[in-house]
Amino acid sequence: MVVVAEIGEHGPRRSAQLTPTFYDTTCPRVFTIVRDTIVNELRSDPRIAASLLRLHFHDCFVNGCDASILLDNTTSFQTEKDAAPNANSARGFPVIDKIKTAVEIACPRTVSCADILTIAAQQSVNLAGGPSWRVPLGRRDSLQAFFDLANNNLPAPFFTLPQLKASFRNVGLDRPSDLVALSGGHTFGKNQCQFILDRLYNFSNTGLPDPTLNTTYLQTLRGLCPRNGNPSVLVDFDVRTPTIFDNKYYVNLKEHKGLIQTDQELFSSPDAADTIPLVRAYADGTQKFFNAFVEAMDRMGKITPLTGSQGQIRQNCRVVNSNSLIQDVVEIVDFVTSM
């Protein structure tokens, strides 16, 4: 029988079909292909590792980890790329295309785009100095995108802590450690000025800056993001080690140097009784953060995956496979072997 992962009252139910050994015999080089492609991209784009991690996050929060974020517009649905949380900010799609092309040459019609995105996130974290872990695999790809769901499910940079907790709880990530550890993905990468301007100049329509911002950091950010400046200018999430995956993000929060509101809310919100101790613990111990991050990534990666005969293995991550005779045969074989 096909085991479908569902979100239960105690978090995402696990799919028995996801296993780290899923491609050991059918595509043993998949991790090497993904890693080599990212290494090559990092030479010209130091941001790409953080961007690929964010793509995985934004995929999983919208109908589960099904590569729906990678689909382009069609006459049947609107792409998630145009949703407010992704438009002009989600990036890395051409890199996923390169990985998919290389994987298709090595192992035709074998590795899903959803699994490629999951592996790319894991490799990106490791290449930036973060932990390595065994990634459960065996996901299949969605046949449609979910524009409205992307607008509704993805947390906004101006969310309060209760709103942030609700968005995580909505997808089954209901533990404080899920929220705090996954937020630690902001230990590398960059953010656009437009997403922090209100914090700097008009927080909650007060005409004043966010009172939780470190005053020295506030002046630094105002210098980088003037009130009438270019809203697309990029600012480092982590002022200490902006390209390294480490625990300095949490050290920054303790000093009130979280870049976006949702970052600082973890430490400064009146509702942060269950997140402040975790921020302190991760700031004091890199390994504690790494362990919590790996566990949270594992839980996020298992949110309602398509498995067995569900979905398909897209040959091009941007489009659903055509209903050719060959594809029909592939789907039938997949269905029979999953029984």
Side-chain angles (χ1 to χ4, degrees):
M1 296 292 292
V2 177
V3 180
V4 182
E6 302 175 27
I7 295 178
E9 59 180 344
H10 300 297
R13 296 179 189 170
R14 305 304 183 230
S15 169
Q17 293 188 348
L18 295 185
T19 169
T21 60
F22 194 84
Y23 298 112
D24 280 7
T25 56
T26 57
C27 196
R29 292 190 61 247
V30 62
F31 279 86
T32 301
I33 293 170
V34 173
R35 189 179 186 89
D36 288 350
T37 306
I38 297 172
V39 167
N40 189 55
E41 290 297 318
L42 281 168
R43 295 189 179 101
S44 57
D45 183 5
R47 291 176 62 201
I48 196 60
S51 297
L52 292 174
L53 174 61
R54 183 170 184 258
L55 269 190
H56 179 48
F57 180 98
H58 280 220
D59 181 41
C60 291
F61 264 59
V62 181
N63 208 56
C65 310
D66 59 2
S68 59
I69 194 173
L70 302 179
L71 287 168
D72 286 339
N73 276 316
T74 71
T75 54
S76 303
F77 54 76
Q78 185 172 3
T79 176
E80 292 171 26
K81 298 172 185 178
D82 290 343
N86 295 324
N88 301 313
S89 65
R91 60 191 301 274
F93 300 106
V95 180
I96 297 298
D97 292 338
K98 289 180 183 179
I99 294 172
K100 180 61 173 174
T101 298
V103 170
E104 281 297 309
I105 292 171
C107 323
R109 298 187 300 276
T110 301
V111 183
S112 68
C113 298
D115 277 345
I116 284 175
L117 201 48
T118 306
I119 296 170
Q122 179 247 15
Q123 292 292 309
S124 293
V125 167
N126 185 238
L127 284 166
S132 181
W133 65 96
R134 287 167 61 78
V135 184
L137 301 167
R139 299 166 191 81
R140 289 166 64 87
D141 299 324
S142 172
L143 303 179
Q144 60 180 316
F146 306 92
F147 173 81
D148 290 337
L149 201 59
N151 277 321
N152 293 331
N153 274 26
L154 289 166
F158 51 80
F159 270 9
T160 63
L161 187 56
Q163 290 174 312
L164 196 56
K165 288 178 176 178
S167 69
F168 272 66
R169 190 167 54 247
N170 184 49
V171 296
L173 298 174
D174 52 2
R175 306 183 311 176
S177 58
D178 295 328
L179 168 58
V180 180
L182 289 174
S183 296
H186 287 169
T187 191
F188 65 169
K190 295 177 183 287
N191 184 62
Q192 297 179 40
C193 283
Q194 62 178 309
F195 299 117
I196 61 170
L197 285 174
D198 282 350
R199 285 197 81 201
L200 305 184
Y201 301 101
N202 188 28
F203 184 67
S204 297
N205 294 314
T206 60
L208 299 170
D210 184 342
T212 67
L213 264 171
N214 176 292
T215 53
T216 302
Y217 187 48
L218 169 64
Q219 295 309 314
T220 298
L221 292 177
R222 281 182 165 180
L224 296 169
C225 302
R227 190 191 297 267
N228 297 312
N230 181 351
S232 298
V233 166
L234 296 170
V235 183
D236 291 325
F237 268 111
D238 179 357
V239 294
R240 285 180 159 83
T241 52
T243 62
I244 299 173
F245 195 95
D246 56 21
N247 69 331
K248 297 301 186 289
Y249 165 84
Y250 302 101
V251 178
N252 295 335
L253 297 188
K254 288 174 62 179
E255 297 179 359
H256 298 274
K257 295 178 181 178
L259 181 63
I260 59 177
Q261 181 178 342
T262 50
D263 291 330
Q264 196 58 53
E265 287 273 325
L266 299 176
F267 190 76
S268 302
S269 168
D271 304 288
D274 56 352
T275 59
I276 289 174
L278 293 173
V279 171
R280 293 189 185 280
Y282 301 161
D284 292 342
T286 299
Q287 197 57 51
K288 284 184 180 179
F289 164 48
F290 283 2
N291 291 344
F293 182 80
V294 167
E295 186 173 351
M297 285 290 287
D298 181 82
R299 282 168 56 80
M300 185 181 77
K302 291 175 180 174
I303 297 173
T304 55
L306 300 173
T307 58
S309 63
Q310 300 169 316
Q312 63 180 203
I313 307 295
R314 280 189 233 135
Q315 292 173 260
N316 176 346
C317 291
R318 293 176 180 264
V319 297
V320 174
N321 297 340
S322 61
N323 292 320
S324 65
L325 177 61
I326 293 177
Q327 183 58 36
D328 288 342
V329 171
V330 171
E331 297 296 322
I332 291 170
V333 170
D334 285 343
F335 177 76
V336 171
T337 56
S338 69
M339 296 298 289

